[in-house]
Amino acid sequence: MKILPAEFDGQSIRRVYDEDTETWWFSVIDVVQVLTQKADGLTARKYWNQLKRRLATEGSQLVTN
């Protein structure tokens, strides 16, 4: 699989296309960085980690089994 960048609000978001399932996969960190307008990937990663902890505390399901 190849990483193919996409543009959103002038910023790059990494994505990969899985030909077997015909599915696009996007980098959560890149999406969080664009939506929260964070300056760098490390800050976006910390934001995502904190959000995952809060959602787990609330009992929200982040992935499907």
Side-chain angles (χ1 to χ4, degrees):
M1 287 188 270
K2 234 169 51 169
I3 296 175
L4 305 167
E7 291 291 320
F8 183 81
D9 279 352
Q11 294 184 329
S12 181
I13 296 176
R14 293 170 290 170
R15 64 182 179 166
V16 175
Y17 185 70
D18 183 352
E19 293 180 9
D20 295 335
T21 61
E22 298 180 348
T23 305
W24 283 103
W25 295 90
F26 293 87
S27 166
V28 172
I29 301 301
D30 292 355
V31 172
V32 168
Q33 183 176 354
V34 171
L35 295 178
T36 60
Q37 300 176 353
K38 299 294 181 188
D40 61 15
L42 180 60
T43 306
R45 184 177 311 274
K46 288 179 181 178
Y47 182 96
W48 173 241
N49 286 334
Q50 181 63 29
L51 181 59
K52 285 192 303 186
R53 276 192 290 274
R54 289 180 182 160
L55 290 172
T57 302
E58 292 176 359
S60 296
Q61 184 176 349
L62 296 174
V63 296
T64 57
N65 292 330

